Amino acid sequence: MGVRGIVAQGLVVQEVSLLLALLLVPFASPLGAPCRAICASTRQVPHWPLRSWPGVRRSRSVVLAGDGHVNVARRHAGADGTPIPRHVAIIPDGNGRWASARGLPRSAGHAAGATAALRASLALFEAGVEVVSLFALSTENTSGRSTGEVEHILQLVAQLLTSQASTLVDRAVRVRIVSSPSCAPLLPRKLHAAIADLRARAERRGGAQADGYVLCIALGYGGMADLAQAAREIARKVATGALSADSVDEEMLGAHLATGGELAYGLSSEPHVRALPPVDLLIRTSGEQRLSNFLLWQSAYAELHFAQPLWPDFGRADLDAALRQFARADRRFGRVQPTSPETTECRV
């Protein structure tokens, strides 16, 4: 049977298999027969209905007030006190290997990965997560992969946002694209247009939706470049007298990062770009266990979850396992929590 739409409390994301076919339309010519094969192989990609996880009541509801504005009630714990991460970062690794295992080109794997990204992001929002950050393309990818593959990924993101604009706006999801200065010029016009369309659609709904969910997509992004750019910008302000060197602290540095309130390089459908919270949970698929230069500063105290499945195969049970690991974590942030007067051990 074909892939069914994702259902979440009466809201439907129409036929993911159709979405995947649409994503591949611009690349049908160079891919040829493999393109048609990937559409047939979508039945191998696990999908699941969106619903809150067992033991976690939907903790963050989005409702439209009488004036059309979005009212988001944030409670980062379920009814039984189960912790829920505010910010989940994902390194969706394994798209190329997923395609190779099926005799398909890498671009087909990226298309399947785009479907998985939409599926996982909506599921996380449904579970109560406020921000989802996806590592779609790194600065190293832009120089270490072919121009055709890089352009394919960029166009794929633009096509995904265009085709799913109604779904994103209906669910009060704002989209932010973060990029390093050297890679920002690579962002295609279609992506600029897609972000502008999302912003216009949200405004036509009658509310700013400033407190909605945020889907942050990293394209041509690198954590070290992000830190270097923030340091340069702060240095310029100190040099001109706009800032005192003694006033520079962690909070100020964080505000100048791509996830801070000053989005110097990138795009956003948000009416007012706000600082994103630190990463609480970082998920990486395909069995690899490294950060690969993704949100280094922001992930200082993130719980790390490394999953074995390749990204397109990452299913509901896998996401459930990641959220349960987070819920079990004893997050101390460097503080001592003695269990008895004799306890002297200091753990982080």
Side-chain angles (χ1 to χ4, degrees):
M1 296 178 63
V3 178
R4 297 297 183 187
I6 303 176
V7 182
Q9 298 185 4
L11 297 177
V12 179
V13 180
Q14 295 293 336
E15 294 295 338
V16 178
S17 57
L18 176 59
L19 164 61
L20 193 52
L22 289 173
L23 291 175
L24 288 167
V25 166
F27 313 100
S29 179
L31 291 181
C35 257
R36 294 186 291 274
I38 183 62
C39 293
S41 70
T42 56
R43 63 175 59 93
Q44 302 175 38
V45 183
H47 297 270
W48 64 85
L50 301 183
R51 60 180 179 83
S52 297
W53 269 256
V56 181
R57 188 176 66 184
R58 185 172 181 175
S59 66
R60 188 170 181 276
S61 58
V62 177
V63 296
L64 288 176
D67 59 0
H69 285 72
V70 171
N71 176 26
V72 182
R74 296 187 185 87
R75 297 191 311 278
H76 297 286
D80 59 355
T82 303
I84 299 171
R86 290 184 66 195
H87 186 173
V88 174
I90 301 175
I91 302 176
D93 200 14
N95 294 329
R97 280 169 282 171
W98 183 91
S100 297
R102 289 159 176 77
L104 301 170
R106 291 178 59 84
S107 48
H110 294 314
T115 300
L118 173 66
R119 182 181 63 208
S121 298
L122 294 177
L124 286 167
F125 293 141
E126 176 68 18
V129 173
E130 178 180 345
V131 180
V132 175
S133 292
L134 298 169
F135 202 13
L137 191 71
S138 70
T139 51
E140 293 79 10
N141 292 153
T142 60
S143 58
R145 300 190 181 187
S146 68
T147 301
E149 182 174 359
V150 171
E151 290 179 350
H152 173 81
I153 294 172
L154 293 172
Q155 295 292 341
L156 198 60
V157 173
Q159 185 70 17
L160 176 67
L161 297 180
T162 299
S163 64
Q164 293 301 299
S166 295
T167 297
L168 294 170
V169 173
D170 288 346
R171 296 181 181 225
V173 176
R174 289 290 190 168
V175 178
R176 183 182 302 188
I177 306 294
V178 295
S179 181
S180 298
S182 61
C183 297
L186 299 177
L187 302 181
R189 292 181 180 179
K190 287 184 178 180
L191 187 57
H192 285 259
I195 295 295
D197 178 59
L198 284 169
R199 187 186 303 113
R201 284 171 179 259
E203 291 172 354
R204 288 197 296 269
R205 289 290 298 270
Q209 294 187 326
D211 290 329
Y213 306 104
V214 175
L215 176 59
C216 181
I217 304 174
L219 288 170
Y221 171 86
M224 290 185 289
D226 194 8
L227 286 164
Q229 172 57 29
R232 283 193 296 269
E233 184 59 28
I234 292 174
R236 293 189 190 101
K237 292 181 178 180
V238 171
T240 60
L243 284 178
S244 165
D246 292 336
S247 69
V248 179
D249 56 13
E250 291 92 339
E251 183 178 355
M252 182 175 294
L253 180 59
H256 286 77
L257 296 173
T259 54
E262 299 184 16
L263 189 64
Y265 299 91
L267 306 168
S268 177
S269 68
E270 301 161 276
H272 305 289
V273 177
R274 63 190 188 276
L276 301 182
V279 175
D280 296 305
L281 172 64
L282 187 145
I283 300 171
R284 179 166 187 154
T285 56
S286 84
E288 304 292 350
Q289 299 186 19
R290 53 181 178 272
L291 298 182
S292 293
N293 200 20
F294 185 43
L295 298 179
L296 299 178
W297 176 278
Q298 299 87 336
S299 301
Y301 270 97
E303 300 298 321
L304 307 180
H305 180 84
F306 300 111
Q308 290 299 319
L310 302 177
W311 175 243
D313 290 329
F314 189 78
R316 192 197 68 82
D318 302 304
L319 195 55
D320 184 19
L323 291 176
R324 289 186 181 278
Q325 175 186 314
F326 177 84
R328 291 192 302 267
D330 181 13
R331 308 188 78 205
R332 294 174 297 276
F333 300 98
R335 295 185 293 270
V336 177
Q337 297 180 347
T339 57
S340 69
E342 292 76 24
T343 300
T344 58
E345 181 184 8
C346 179
R347 299 179 295 172
V348 295

